Amino acid sequence: MRMKDKIGIVTAAGSGMGRAGAIRFAAEGASVAVVDLNKEAVDAVVKEITDAGGKAIGLSGDLTSDAFARDIVRQTVKAFGGLDFVWNHVGTPGPASIEGLDWKDYDFAMNLNVRTVLVTTEEALPELRARGGGAILFTASTSGIQGSQFSPVYNIAKFGIVGLVKGLAKRYAREKIRVNAVCPGPVDTPMLRVFVARPDSQMPAGETPETLVQKRGGQVPFGRPARPEEIANAALFLLSDEASYVTGVALPVDGGATA
Ligand SMILES: NC(=O)c1ccc[n+]([C@@H]2O[C@H](COP(=O)([O-])OP(=O)(O)OC[C@H]3O[C@@H](n4cnc5c(N)ncnc54)[C@H](O)[C@@H]3O)[C@@H](O)[C@H]2O)c1
């Protein structure tokens, strides 16, 4: 058991990589708070974990609310008695061009990609400190380490997350709080379907979301998108004690896209 007796939070855990991570961490012995906007999805993930003998609570709400982004920490500590790790996974692709940009879309993308994870992290730090250390993982993207011609706001946000990770890693190293980012390339989740179907993203016209996802995956050296579990494996490593000397890293899990 690689996460025996750890207590943690996974945001955007109702689907995709977050769901895969929550289920995996619980199978490895962690008590997990499953956080997502979609209550039905939260309930289903919690049921899957508890049916398998694991420990989980479900917290459904909108993480663009500062109150909810903080409350998930309080609720987790109340339910399980502490906090050892947080996977700040929630995020959104944002607009595909700055020309004709609707600033409401900009604000929404910056809120969900940056502000909310900062709020949760601020609330989590004293709890991690109280346990004598811990681990925080952010989901950036390959768009946090290289340019993406169709994701200007996402680039700003995810480069920002990588910068934040490096700063926080140095700031909290002496308190044994490790801070890292995972940087996925295309991953076969509902979000990738949204990403490739955005107006202006210049994917071929007349395709279904399914064929667009395969085409987008075909652009990376592995020739396919990642499965959510492949990102969850990297998250497991970075959040577990196996990564005890790893902090400030933005780890690409991208099928060679940034090689
Ligand atoms: N899928 C990809 O190709 C890809 C690649 C790189 C990075 N990412 C990053 O991964 C993260 C999400 O990834 P995914 O592909 O696993 O997503 P997904 O589409 O499978 O799931 C996203 C989940 O987020 C939840 N959510 C959306 N808005 C929310 C809010 N305001 N409050 C709480 N929950 C909310 C949704 O209900 C959904 O369950 C984002 O940070 C994204 O930028 C995705």
Side-chain angles (χ1 to χ4, degrees):
M1 291 246 180
R2 295 162 70 186
M3 286 203 146
K4 192 168 168 353
D5 299 331
K6 302 271 191 208
I7 298 164
I9 296 171
V10 182
T11 69
S15 172
M17 301 171 243
R19 174 183 176 277
I23 291 169
R24 182 68 194 279
F25 304 159
E28 295 286 349
S31 299
V32 182
V34 175
V35 179
D36 201 287
L37 188 59
N38 181 337
K39 185 174 184 322
E40 273 176 30
V42 166
D43 291 346
V45 175
V46 170
K47 184 172 183 320
E48 192 168 340
I49 290 173
T50 51
D51 282 356
K55 291 192 211 108
I57 56 163
L59 301 170
S60 52
D62 185 347
L63 284 164
T64 59
S65 149
D66 285 359
F68 183 64
R70 285 189 196 288
D71 198 45
I72 59 174
V73 173
R74 297 185 190 133
Q75 294 295 333
T76 305
V77 172
K78 196 168 150 202
F80 296 125
L83 186 69
D84 299 300
F85 70 87
V86 180
W87 186 6
N88 282 311
H89 179 59
V90 76
T92 188
S97 172
I98 58 164
E99 293 182 65
L101 179 65
D102 181 336
W103 289 94
K104 286 201 283 301
D105 293 341
Y106 172 88
D107 288 341
F108 178 75
M110 293 303 284
N111 271 341
L112 198 54
N113 285 313
V114 181
R115 182 186 171 106
T116 177
V117 297
L118 207 51
V119 171
T120 298
T121 300
E122 187 199 3
E123 191 70 24
L125 282 164
E127 299 298 341
L128 300 176
R129 187 179 287 128
R131 303 273 284 186
I136 308 174
L137 180 66
F138 292 82
T139 300
S141 165
T142 50
S143 298
I145 45 182
Q146 67 178 13
S148 160
Q149 60 268 54
F150 306 122
S151 307
V153 178
Y154 197 63
N155 266 154
I156 297 170
K158 297 297 191 180
F159 267 75
I161 291 298
V162 170
L164 174 70
V165 158
K166 290 174 187 286
L168 293 182
K170 288 189 169 171
R171 168 94 191 204
Y172 293 104
R174 293 294 168 105
E175 298 193 73
K176 301 193 182 69
I177 298 172
R178 298 182 300 100
V179 188
N180 293 293
V182 64
C183 298
V187 186
D188 194 351
T189 71
M191 187 170 294
L192 187 56
R193 284 153 182 73
V194 173
F195 193 82
V196 292
R198 291 169 306 157
D200 251 341
S201 64
Q202 299 196 0
M203 292 300 283
E207 302 267 1
T208 66
E210 284 315 313
T211 55
L212 282 178
V213 162
Q214 294 315 317
K215 286 215 157 103
R216 177 70 189 90
Q219 292 169 345
V220 307
F222 270 14
R224 65 168 177 85
R227 297 184 303 278
E229 292 74 18
E230 292 176 306
I231 312 304
N233 288 342
L236 172 64
F237 169 68
L238 289 169
L239 287 170
S240 77
D241 292 342
E242 289 172 18
S244 55
Y245 204 61
V246 182
T247 198
V249 157
L251 179 69
V253 186
D254 64 356
T258 53

